[in-house]
């Protein structure tokens, strides 16, 4: 129960932070055109060079990655199929990322980028795969009650 409440509170805090960071208007003289071609922005990032590409792609992967852990944590189920959990979490992450991108169309200075949706969703899935199965198995082991210490009954020796 504590894990579930903590997950829910952290999830709300993270979503508020995401909204604050991504939906603020920017004061810029001009904006780039929206990117609606999948992988076009990632290819452009890779053309900038190794370090800059790693930074930009890493930002995209890490932006919503905490959702990969916080969504199952807020759900609170320990005994669930790993594939079902991954599918549910990845789909929810994709929907949150798509909602952020669509809301950005109404914010001055923000532009839609389909690659952000791809990178954010991949980050959610990777975070889920790296953290959730190990944490669930650890919590399952801790949940399993230990039985009483076995004792050997005293049997008298025959006369």
């Amino acid at each position: 129960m504590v894990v579930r409440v903590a997950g829910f509170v952290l999830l709300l805090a993270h979503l508020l932070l995401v909204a604050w960071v991504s939906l603020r208007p920017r004061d810029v003289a001009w904006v780039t055109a929206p990117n609606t071609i999948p992988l076009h922005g990632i290819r452009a990032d890779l053309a900038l060079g190794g370090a800059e590409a790693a930074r930009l792609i890493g930002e995209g992967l890490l932006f919503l990655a905490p959702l990969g852990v916080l969504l199952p944590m807020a759900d609170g189920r320990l005994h669930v199929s790993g594939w079902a959990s991954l599918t549910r979490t990845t789909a929810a992450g994709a929907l949150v990322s798509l909602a952020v991108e669509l809301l950005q169309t109404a914010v001055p200075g923000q532009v839609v980028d389909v690659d952000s949706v791809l990178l954010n969703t991949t980050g959610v899935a990777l975070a889920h795969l790296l953290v959730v199965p190990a944490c669930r198995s650890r919590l399952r082991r801790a949940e399993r009650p230990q039985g009483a210490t076995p004792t050997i009954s005293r049997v008298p020796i025959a006369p």
Side-chain angles (χ1 to χ4, degrees):
M1 180 69 169
V2 173
V3 172
R4 193 173 199 177
V5 171
F8 186 72
V9 169
L10 290 172
L11 177 64
L12 284 178
H14 179 68
L15 288 175
L16 286 172
L17 179 69
V18 164
W20 182 73
V21 166
S22 61
L23 299 176
R24 288 184 304 165
R26 291 186 186 170
D27 292 331
V28 293
W30 58 273
V31 293
T32 60
N35 175 22
T36 56
I37 303 168
L39 304 178
H40 185 71
I42 294 174
R43 276 191 228 109
D45 291 344
L46 291 173
L48 295 174
E52 186 66 16
R55 184 185 69 79
L56 292 171
I57 291 172
E59 285 176 2
L61 288 172
L62 292 175
F63 187 60
L64 291 180
L67 292 181
V69 177
L70 295 176
L71 285 170
M73 194 173 159
D75 185 35
R77 288 188 269 181
L78 289 180
H79 304 286
V80 66
S81 165
W83 288 110
S85 176
L86 176 65
T87 303
R88 212 173 21 251
T89 303
T90 304
L95 288 174
V96 168
S97 180
L98 183 63
V100 166
E101 289 298 318
L102 291 176
L103 287 171
Q104 281 182 343
T105 60
V107 178
Q110 299 281 2
V111 223
V112 174
D113 186 5
V114 71
D115 291 337
S116 293
V117 175
L118 295 174
L119 287 173
N120 293 339
T121 304
T122 304
V124 169
L126 286 174
H128 182 88
L129 285 172
L130 292 174
V131 176
V132 173
C135 288
R136 275 196 178 136
S137 67
R138 188 172 187 193
L139 287 171
R140 276 189 226 123
R141 275 195 306 270
E143 175 187 72
R144 208 174 304 147
Q146 295 284 332
T149 305
T151 57
I152 301 172
S153 59
R154 299 275 177 194
V155 178
I157 299 177

